Amino acid sequence: LRLSAKGLYFSGAFKNAGPLPPQVEKETTYTVALNVRSSSNSVSGALVKTTLPIYVKWLGAVSPDGEDIIYNESTSEVVWNAGRIPANGERSGAFQISFLPSLSQIGQVPRLTGDIFLVATDDFTKTEVRDRKSSITTYLLSDPQFVQGQSSVVR
């Protein structure tokens, strides 16, 4: 079972706005794109979880429409209930966030999410399977139009 997670600005499910590189006290929106791919066995109960830092805001937009991606405001946790994924199958989902940099973040490449965790049950072996990805930052290496110098916060 494999999890992939990308931060996007130019591509993805949503039209994003705001300055790149991110500017102090100006909001920039980003897309977080997630994908879960199973290998030879199907899995059930696939859950993907991450948290949002205090300076990142959940915007409520999810893709595809109706995908079970929810945000818990009291814990700052985003949970995607990806459910069952057939053998050699995959499932994708995305959500939109906004980032409002502060003066203390000038010159930094801030995290947009915490680490991202996947847990599911292998339908054949009945064992728990997991994967984990590092947090997504403003360094959008996965976005094809992103260029060097667009990730560090500027005044």
Side-chain angles (χ1 to χ4, degrees):
L1 190 65
R2 289 279 165 253
L3 169 66
S4 69
K6 299 188 273 195
L8 303 169
Y9 179 88
F10 298 102
S11 59
F14 307 106
K15 180 169 176 37
N16 292 299
L20 274 190
Q23 264 184 296
V24 170
E25 299 305 326
K26 291 193 176 154
E27 194 173 58
T28 300
T29 61
Y30 295 90
T31 300
V32 175
L34 305 168
N35 181 274
V36 178
R37 181 182 303 239
S38 76
S39 57
S40 51
N41 296 339
S42 61
V43 297
S44 296
L47 274 181
V48 178
K49 294 183 179 186
T50 190
T51 53
L52 300 182
I54 56 168
Y55 50 82
V56 171
K57 189 166 65 178
W58 168 261
L59 295 179
V62 300
S63 177
D65 280 344
E67 193 62 44
D68 191 1
I69 302 173
I70 56 166
Y71 177 67
N72 181 328
E73 209 168 310
S74 60
T75 62
S76 300
E77 189 174 55
V78 179
V79 178
W80 176 30
N81 180 6
R84 185 175 186 284
I85 300 161
N88 300 310
E90 66 181 294
R91 190 95 189 261
S92 295
F95 59 92
Q96 191 177 37
I97 55 174
S98 74
F99 167 48
L100 186 65
S102 66
L103 279 170
S104 65
Q105 292 172 313
I106 290 176
Q108 295 180 8
V109 178
R111 293 180 321 126
L112 297 174
T113 70
D115 286 354
I116 303 164
F117 300 92
L118 163 66
V119 63
T121 301
D122 184 304
D123 290 342
F124 181 71
T125 65
K126 304 296 184 213
T127 57
E128 189 175 87
V129 286
R130 298 174 166 268
D131 197 9
R132 174 179 170 238
K133 293 295 171 220
S134 296
S135 57
I136 291 171
T137 70
T138 56
Y139 187 71
L140 308 175
L141 196 58
S142 301
D143 197 316
Q145 294 176 357
F146 178 78
V147 293
Q148 204 74 15
Q150 290 180 319
S151 56
S152 296
V153 175
V154 296
R155 189 179 292 276

